[in-house]
Structures are given as C-alpha cells and as structure tokens.
Amino acid sequence: MRIGLGINYAGGFKEVASEVADLERAGVDIVFVPEAYSFDAVSALGYLAAVTERVELASGILQLYTRTPTLTAMTAAGLDYVSDGRYILGLGASGPQVIEGFHGVAYDAPIGRTREVVEICRKVWRRERLEYQGKHYTLPLPADRGTGLGKPLKLINHPVRERIPVLLAALGPKNVELAAEIAEGWQPIFYLPEKANDVWGEALAAGKAKRDPALGELEVYASPTLAIGEDVEPLREFVKPHLALYIGGMGAKGKNFYHALATKYGYGAEADRIQELYLAGKKEEAAKVVPDELVRDVSLIGSAGFVAERVAAFREAGVTVLNVLPIAATPAERVKLVEQLRELV
C-alpha cells in the first residue's frame, strides 16, 4: 500500500516546496495538487517537479470542463515531461457550484464527457492525427460549425509516455463504473471500508468486466484524515465541519452526491438533518450532527494500534493508496506522521 498526500491549495508554491521534499524523504509516494478556485494546479505541479526526484505528482483534480480535451492532454504530456514520467492525470467533474459559478460553463453530461476526454487524451499521447467524432467533442471542427479550415493534427512533441496514468474522481454508480472500465485509478471520497462494497461493489464489477487488461489492476485511492497518538481522538472533531460542508452544502436537496453517499452508508436521517441545518446557514450546528462513528470509520485518527487496524481494513477493502490529510501544526509534525504511517503500512 502506497502513501499519498495533498498539498494545501490555498497556500503558495514556495511555502510547500521544501516541505514536499521532506515528505518525499519520509516516504510519501504521491503528492496531489488540487484545483478548486485558487491558483491553478498545473503551475504548482511544474514547480514541484523541479524540486523533487522520486515522488509521483498528481492533479487532484483537474476539472473536466475548464480545459479542452486536447489542452488537458497537452498539459499532462508537459507535466509528465518536466517530471521525467512521474505525473498522474487526475480528472473529475467537480460540481456545478464551481463549474458554473466560477467558470461560467454549463455543468452537463459528466459521464459522457469524461469518456471522450480520456479517449482524446490517449490519442494525443499516441501522437495520432486527431479525427474524433463524439457526442460532446468533434475534431477537427466541421465546416458547418467553423471556418472549414481545421485539419487533423497530431502532437508535435514526443511524450515521455504514450499512456499517462489517468485517475478519475467518482462517486455515483455510473461514474464509478466508468472509472473501473477506462482509468488506471479511482478516487472516491469519504471511503468507509466496511460499507464500500455495498455502495460501489456492483458498479466496480460492471466496469471491470469491460476493462482493457492492458490497463492493469485498478488502483483505489482513499483519502482519510490522519493523526496517530494515544490521546488524539478529540481531533476527530476537526473532521466534522468538512463532512458537514459536503453532506450539507455541496448541492441542493436531491442533488447532493455526498448526502446520497452518507445515506447509503446508513446515516440517512443524520444526513437530512445536516443538510437542513447547513442550508439554513447553521454550519456549526450541522457539524455537531455528523455521527462520531462516521468520522471514526472514514479516518485514521487514533492510537498506533487503532490506525494499524484501520489500515488493514482499508487494504482488505481493496485500497491501494492512502492519500492522507495529516492533522499537524507544523511541517515537521506532518513529516513525523508520514513516517509513523509508513511503519504501519
């Protein structure tokens, strides 16, 4: 089992670069750079590529709608080049709050667009002349929709790899099925090992049944919060506002993927109450409703023995990468947590 870690996208690149180098020495295998509506992820990934040697670098995630498929492919090829073949293309649909609110782009057909973007990216990396007829993307643009001067082109540069690993962030059954079919990796959120098969097992099996063997086994990236010690259980309270934000605030009633996930985990009544409070502006009250058991089971917060047991549960459920969020006040403490976790995995 490998260890990943996401950097804080609200900070500056220079502040995290030296820390990432220390984390690399401590045993981190993958560093994820998110892209919300702060600085772009690509600049940070390029910066980190220059100051690291071994660690893989992943976008966590590039948003599906904010770049054309070919620009996504070019960007991935460029990042793979500057990192000497260490880049993982993390893709996801994000949500309408960001896509429509910040980018002004319609949030539509995420499943169909995901498939087509991945297909186009792989054609670009193989340096094929781009002739693609999809439902959402057509290359080159036909004459009745443009000037008629567009011609099939291929990437000028020779990529380091013609198959850059693709990681898809997905929650819903159709999205998860697609990830299991076409991607090298799948990243769920709030992964609860004991309930994962009940929630996603059928979708994963359906996707894997159509999977190209050349893709290898599907990597599963869970993202638990991490704290190890004899008296760290109170730190679980820090996880609750984050869960409440997603369960309660990421979408209207009936259109919140994370609320649906909590309900499938068996916390439907609590999810309803969290959403009711959060949408009413009562964020602190909503956080208090988040069940202690849910926080405990989706996190790695406790004694070394407890964390070792939970790591075993994640491994048994099929997780191959623990993309952790350490609760620590200083970079040195984060490095120590990674070293402790490395001993347990």
Side-chain angles (χ1 to χ4, degrees), residues 39-89:
F39 291 144
D40 72 290
V42 177
S43 298
L45 286 161
Y47 195 99
L48 291 175
V51 298
T52 56
E53 298 177 357
R54 175 192 58 81
V55 69
E56 289 185 290
L57 301 171
S59 49
I61 57 171
L62 294 189
Q63 298 154 356
L64 192 66
Y65 300 89
T66 57
R67 297 170 176 85
T68 66
T70 43
L71 178 57
T72 297
M74 293 163 61
T75 300
L79 287 170
D80 206 45
Y81 175 78
V82 297
S83 66
D84 296 321
R86 292 184 286 133
Y87 177 62
I88 297 172
L89 174 59

Side-chain angles (χ1 to χ4, degrees), residues 2-6 30-32 187 221-224 321-325:
R2 295 186 294 160
I3 298 175
L5 184 143
I30 307 170
V31 170
F32 285 79
Q187 185 178 28
Y221 295 71
S223 303
V321 180
L322 290 171
N323 182 30
V324 297
L325 174 63

